Amino acid sequence: MLGTIIVTLVVGIIIGFLGKAVAPGDRDNIPVWLTIVCGIVGAFVGSYIYYAIFGVADNNPGGDMYDTSKGIDWWRHLWQIAVAAILVVVASTVTGRNKSRV
């Protein structure tokens, strides 16, 4: 249980900061804790969307939503980062912290 929490936080940090890095313009001025939340939610939602569209690869018949192919699934991670970037933009807009509202 503790291992799952630690892995989730690490993945949230990485995906959140990558999503923040690819967010367009000055819309990424949000606190670190909100970036991590966007990363965690982006990782889960991105994985779900990827699994719903593409399913499990033929070379991994026993896979599930978090194990869609053998090895590292780079496409799934790109979906996670894209969802996190969208969430960063939404969070910035909702919190009123984007510089474009001047």
Side-chain angles (χ1 to χ4, degrees):
M1 177 70 173
L2 182 62
T4 303
I5 293 170
I6 291 171
V7 168
T8 302
L9 288 174
V10 170
V11 168
I13 290 168
I14 294 169
I15 298 292
F17 280 110
L18 288 172
K20 191 173 184 176
V22 299
D26 293 330
R27 296 182 173 268
D28 61 348
N29 189 17
I30 59 174
V32 173
W33 67 268
L34 192 52
T35 301
I36 295 170
V37 169
C38 290
I40 292 170
V41 173
F44 286 125
V45 173
S47 291
Y48 179 76
I49 292 171
Y50 180 82
Y51 176 72
I53 294 173
F54 300 108
V56 176
D58 294 335
N59 65 357
N60 193 22
D64 59 5
M65 185 172 94
Y66 301 108
D67 187 24
T68 55
S69 67
K70 290 185 178 179
I72 299 173
D73 194 351
W74 295 108
W75 288 109
R76 180 172 55 101
H77 296 311
L78 288 175
W79 280 78
Q80 292 171 336
I81 294 167
V83 171
I86 292 168
L87 291 174
V88 165
V89 171
V90 169
S92 177
T93 303
V94 168
T95 60
R97 288 181 170 247
N98 57 354
K99 294 178 183 175
S100 64
R101 294 183 125 194
V102 175

